[in-house]
Amino acid sequence: MRLLSLAIASSVLLSACSGGVGDVFDTRQNAGPCPPAASIYDAARVIVLDGEGELFGNIAYTGEITGVRFRCRYADEDPIDGELEIDFAFGKGPAGTSETRSYPYFVSITRRDARVLGRTEFEITADFDGGKVDGMTETLREIRIPRVDGSISGANFEIIVGFVLTEEQLQFNRDGKRFRLDAQVDAG
């Protein structure tokens, strides 16, 4: 079980363990909507190059966050308790030499005004069987976002997910660069 604490006055807890959202016998209606969860565009994909230049032949590994879902439960004065599911797709390119690759990623809890309340880094390992694309879903359970009182809705928070990138990888994404496997080289 991974149990972490993000730096907030009380705490925002993230863990990856068995269990589900809230008490199955709790029939109270949520006090408000769950916080929205999404991947941040600039960090939703990663391309690891091995070699000189941004060439298809130099692609070692790729990763993409393809989906993010957050389910929560809270009522009265309770904190927001929930679980986060993140869908990943991974690929191994011509320059990849290992059948496994670890990808660091982060989960941030923010206020809707974009102030980061806490950030925690995790790592997921992809297994490439003969170089094929590997897709998987990571579930982080027991996420807890404290509320000052019952008037604070989940709509006041956001959950942001992304890969931990180098400055070069971040700039590659910000420049809108992509590799298309079906692209052809013009011989002209």
Side-chain angles (χ1 to χ4, degrees):
M1 175 170 112
R2 288 187 280 185
L3 184 62
L4 314 161
S5 177
L6 297 175
I8 295 183
S10 294
S11 65
V12 174
L13 301 175
L14 300 172
S15 69
C17 62
S18 62
V21 176
D23 182 352
V24 295
F25 300 109
D26 188 350
T27 58
R28 296 176 296 170
Q29 183 175 356
N30 266 4
C34 291
S39 59
I40 188 165
Y41 180 79
D42 288 349
R45 60 190 170 90
V46 59
I47 296 179
V48 179
L49 299 170
D50 187 11
E52 291 296 319
E54 295 173 352
L55 306 170
F56 176 77
N58 292 339
I59 298 173
Y61 302 96
T62 64
E64 187 170 358
I65 298 170
T66 59
V68 180
R69 293 168 302 285
F70 181 65
R71 290 183 297 279
C72 77
R73 187 84 184 110
Y74 65 105
D76 303 324
E77 305 289 321
D78 298 343
I80 299 169
D81 289 322
E83 67 182 26
L84 182 68
E85 289 182 341
I86 309 164
D87 298 326
F88 294 94
F90 302 108
K92 179 181 173 185
T97 58
S98 176
E99 292 301 311
T100 61
R101 169 78 183 182
S102 292
Y103 295 82
Y105 69 96
F106 66 87
V107 175
S108 291
I109 308 294
T110 68
R111 293 279 303 180
R112 292 299 292 259
D113 62 8
R115 186 174 46 135
V116 176
L117 300 175
R119 174 185 158 137
T120 302
E121 291 186 10
F122 297 91
E123 194 168 276
I124 187 167
T125 301
D127 185 16
F128 303 104
D129 184 14
K132 73 176 185 177
V133 174
D134 185 25
M136 57 187 10
T137 299
E138 179 87 331
T139 302
L140 302 175
R141 300 188 189 334
E142 295 185 23
I143 294 177
R144 176 166 278 185
I145 304 170
R147 299 183 305 142
V148 174
D149 58 48
S151 69
I152 305 297
S153 165
N156 291 302
F157 304 96
E158 294 177 320
I159 300 173
I160 306 296
V161 179
F163 286 106
V164 176
L165 303 174
T166 65
E167 284 298 319
E168 293 80 17
Q169 291 168 332
L170 181 60
Q171 193 60 51
F172 184 92
N173 288 349
R174 286 182 174 163
D175 290 345
K177 296 178 183 177
R178 298 183 87 71
F179 283 101
R180 291 183 47 203
L181 297 181
D182 59 349
Q184 298 194 9
V185 177
D186 186 9

